[in-house]
Amino acid sequence: MRQSRRDFLKKSSASAAGLGLIIPDFSFFRKISPNEKVNIGLIGARNKGYNILSHMMETGQVNCLGICDVDRNILEKRIEDVKKSFGQIPKGYGDFRRLLEDDAIDAVIIGTPDHWHCLIMVLACQAGKDIYVEKPLANSIEECNLMLAAARKYNRVVQVGQQQRSGEVWNSAMAHIHSGGIGVIKRVNVWANFPYGMGASKVPNETIPKGLDYDFWLGPASKRTYNPNRVHGNWRHFWDYGGGLMTDWGVHLLDMALWAKNIQQEPMSVIASGANYNLASYCRETYEIMDVSYPMEDYFIHWTHTAGLAIGPYEKPYGVEFIGDKGAIIADRGDWKILNGNKDESEEASKLAKANFNFTGKSAMEIHVLNFLRGVKERIATNCPVEIGRNVALYAHMGNIAVRTGENVLEWNTKLGNFKGNSKGNSLIQSEYHGGWELPSV
């Protein structure tokens, strides 16, 4: 798996043209023995990043050579966690660029807030690393485009952290849907209602905690006075760093709606409305309530969320309802079932539909990381490559943009990559970079 940067840049080339779902050509990289371990570096270690690393290390196929975090307290804790749980002592970094300079590292996990994903992934691609990047792919449409371009130009194996693409519940449901089990699907309803979407209760600004490099945490985002509600755990409620429930749960669940019809194209149009109440009490910019529709030529996707609640249709806080001309399916991460108006018939039909699927009992995360490691070793595409991550991220971002513009209805020009006749919407396609950081070029 080792090669010099010069050899890497000499050999790498774009694997395909356009933005369609095309499997890259990894053939110039040598395949390695299944018994050889992959050397991993983790960037962003507080929560999900370390969760991903733990799943990888539990496979026995990984060495952790480095961990990077801008909070020294988290960094030291995670190094100790790896030592205690897995008997390895990774090197610690406060700057991800120093970690990427280690030629011994084969692949990196990007577990940072969304506004850092693009810069880190593009530089990782240029450094010859494969990438497991958390969802959503990026914090803006243009960043998603750059990440796709970088992965293709440098022929990197990428897994986006949409682990439902690997989960057995969803794969078995898709097998039934794609076999025509509920006929032609005309509509999919998606919802996600969670209390945390309200954000945290307001607190005054504070002194920057010891050990946190706050300027580095902000990175390309606007400079702000430190407030604990804008960083660890709550950052996704602010446009500078994330997109609220729409991009957090939206990319997971809207992805299922796209998968049901194998939709690879960008949205044609988006119709959206949203509202924010209780802003006097909560620290939040993203929307408490949203209603978003994606009309297509022969298909309709509808998304809704209400923060502050943990209940929704079918008494589920989140879920996906697939409606076909021969029946319907209701699904969440725990299970799925067929609905046809008769409870007994529905239960029997659901049981029969699942009978031929080979359930192993492995979690979606376990399968997802195993799939990534296989991709790295064998130089093959993953279950959720960058193309899939980009496409669903565009759906989610466009929902937010439609509400933020105040115009509610946007039409997308696929050829030009912008909104038709809408300057407000187009101004939100690309994130503004600050603090001396620049949007990467590919």
Side-chain angles (χ1 to χ4, degrees), residues 143-178:
E143 288 176 319
C144 290
N145 293 337
L146 289 169
M147 293 164 81
L148 173 59
R152 286 182 167 176
K153 179 176 181 179
Y154 298 107
N155 287 11
R156 305 321 309 163
V157 172
V158 178
Q159 181 85 292
V160 183
Q162 294 162 212
Q163 65 271 14
Q164 290 180 175
R165 282 276 173 165
S166 294
E168 294 184 335
V169 168
W170 297 102
N171 273 274
S172 60
M174 291 301 160
H176 187 66
I177 289 170
H178 293 158

Side-chain angles (χ1 to χ4, degrees), residues 247-403:
T247 59
D248 189 21
W249 272 88
V251 292
H252 281 308
L253 301 179
L254 290 171
D255 189 32
M256 300 300 97
L258 299 176
W259 191 7
K261 297 276 280 188
N262 288 318
I263 293 173
Q264 301 173 16
Q265 69 268 26
E266 302 159 7
M268 297 168 52
S269 61
V270 56
I271 305 167
S273 58
N276 258 335
Y277 307 112
N278 305 310
L279 286 180
S281 301
Y282 291 94
C283 201
R284 182 186 72 246
E285 293 175 347
T286 57
Y287 292 100
E288 176 183 347
I289 296 172
M290 283 186 65
D291 192 283
V292 187
S293 296
Y294 304 91
M296 304 178 199
E297 290 182 358
D298 61 349
Y299 192 46
F300 192 91
I301 299 173
H302 179 250
W303 161 273
T304 182
H305 77 242
T306 303
L309 298 178
I311 194 63
Y314 303 98
E315 298 186 344
K316 295 177 180 292
Y318 73 95
V320 184
E321 180 187 40
F322 305 91
I323 302 174
D325 58 9
K326 295 181 180 178
I329 283 177
I330 177 69
D332 60 19
R333 290 178 173 179
D335 200 2
W336 63 273
K337 62 182 179 181
I338 296 171
L339 304 175
N340 58 17
N342 183 301
K343 182 178 179 181
D344 292 336
E345 289 182 7
S346 294
E347 289 180 354
E348 183 63 22
S350 300
K351 182 178 179 181
L352 290 173
K354 299 172 188 176
N356 293 325
F357 189 86
N358 182 27
F359 290 95
T360 67
K362 292 180 179 178
S363 72
M365 276 300 303
E366 182 179 1
I367 300 171
H368 211 50
V369 300
L370 283 168
N371 175 255
F372 173 65
L373 296 175
R374 181 187 176 196
V376 172
K377 291 182 177 185
E378 299 183 18
R379 313 314 301 169
I380 57 176
T382 61
N383 288 343
C384 192
V386 65
E387 291 87 352
I388 288 176
R390 172 192 175 272
N391 197 41
V392 72
L394 262 60
Y395 279 76
H397 283 308
M398 287 184 192
N400 275 334
I401 290 172
V403 181

Side-chain angles (χ1 to χ4, degrees), residues 5 9 118-126 142-143 145-151 153-154 430 433 437-442:
R5 177 175 171 81
L9 293 173
C118 180
L119 261 172
I120 296 173
M121 179 169 157
V122 171
L123 293 179
C125 287
Q126 293 171 347
E142 180 59 22
E143 288 176 319
N145 293 337
L146 289 169
M147 293 164 81
L148 173 59
K153 179 176 181 179
Y154 298 107
Q430 179 174 311
Y433 275 42
W437 296 94
E438 295 181 358
L439 190 72
S441 59
V442 178

